Amino acid sequence: MNIDFHVHGILSKKLKFDSELFLQGVEYAKENGLDGFVLCEHFNAIDLLSSYSYLEENYEYVGDRYIVDGFSVFIGMEVDIRYGGHVIVCGNREDILKIRNYLEPYTSKSNFIPFGKLLDLGEKYNCLMIGSHPYREKHKLYLQPKKYLERLDALDLNTKDIYKRGLSIVEEEVATLAENLNIPYVTGSDSHYPVQLGTVKTCFENECYTINDLKENIKSKKYVIEISKALKLKVYTSKITKNYIKKQIKLSKNNYKNLKSN
């Protein structure tokens, strides 16, 4: 079973959830060799709950994932933590909603949740917790205390970092940190637009239907990692397209405001 552990279903956390774009992402992921992904929108995205509601209203939930046209969609959130860094928290749908409700007082940069408190919360609900892009310039998760980092289930080998800094550099950093913490690392495309899906894959020997399945297979390292040779082209294309769409949305909103004021 081939999985991407870091996928966003919205172009930007300031924009609305687009079900058509989401379904295009699922189809593109399938065509590029993925069997499932973790949908982990930013926890303070303005339309995060709409993505959950859309899945709940339209698709069957089996194990701990939605089945979207034969494709497995696990849900979670990418959470900002105090003093820098992002953590992906993936769990059962009911538990994720409880966690999001708990995080409501922590949505602003001045009051992000402490790392230890988030870990306690994730462990309480048996969530899969992955340290996102630990060496990214503006989100230096690796600087967090080791006593917290080693409680993570895995680290994130991230497509965007590979694109910017090169596979050999990024993987060496992540692999070394993972070894020092005695935890594995998995892959995440960090996709906000479908073209980026399939650039990285974590390929499990077994099928994974529940959070426990994911955690156990990651812990036992029953997987291999695949990196697309077309990664740079796909990320560049995704970046250009995403920025173009965002500009068009902004222009459309401005035009609407102008019409109302006239």
Side-chain angles (χ1 to χ4, degrees), residues 76-167:
M77 296 172 286
E78 186 174 15
V79 182
D80 294 73
I81 55 174
R82 192 171 299 177
Y83 307 127
H86 290 175
V87 176
I88 293 167
V89 179
C90 174
N92 175 274
R93 60 182 175 180
E94 293 179 1
D95 296 336
I96 289 297
L97 288 171
K98 290 175 184 176
I99 292 171
R100 177 58 188 83
N101 185 58
Y102 181 90
L103 290 172
E104 187 58 35
Y106 301 101
T107 56
S108 64
K109 188 174 182 179
S110 60
N111 195 35
F112 287 150
I113 191 169
F115 195 4
K117 184 173 287 190
L118 179 64
L119 290 166
D120 290 343
L121 193 61
E123 289 168 357
K124 174 182 177 181
Y125 291 105
N126 191 39
C127 290
L128 171 67
M129 294 182 285
I130 300 171
S132 303
H133 37 68
Y135 284 88
R136 188 166 294 178
E137 182 60 31
K138 294 182 179 180
H139 307 288
K140 295 181 179 179
L141 182 70
Y142 77 95
L143 294 178
Q144 292 280 354
K146 183 179 180 181
K147 66 178 182 178
Y148 296 141
L149 290 169
E150 61 190 7
R151 289 169 60 186
L152 293 167
D153 295 295
L155 298 176
D156 171 29
L157 179 64
N158 192 281
T159 289
K160 286 185 180 178
D161 296 334
I162 295 170
Y163 171 76
K164 288 183 179 179
R165 303 176 60 226
L167 175 60

Side-chain angles (χ1 to χ4, degrees), residues 1-50:
M1 186 174 190
N2 302 337
I3 298 181
D4 182 340
F5 283 92
H6 190 157
V7 174
H8 297 275
I10 307 175
L11 283 174
S12 165
K13 62 183 179 181
K14 295 181 180 180
L15 296 177
K16 295 287 187 178
F17 173 74
D18 183 338
S19 60
E20 184 177 348
L21 185 64
F22 168 75
L23 290 177
Q24 289 175 359
V26 169
E27 289 306 313
Y28 194 87
K30 289 163 65 177
E31 289 176 5
N32 284 271
L34 286 168
D35 303 300
F37 57 53
V38 174
L39 186 65
C40 53
E41 195 50 65
H42 292 284
F43 82 115
N44 52 2
I46 63 169
D47 211 24
L48 169 67
L49 296 181
S50 290

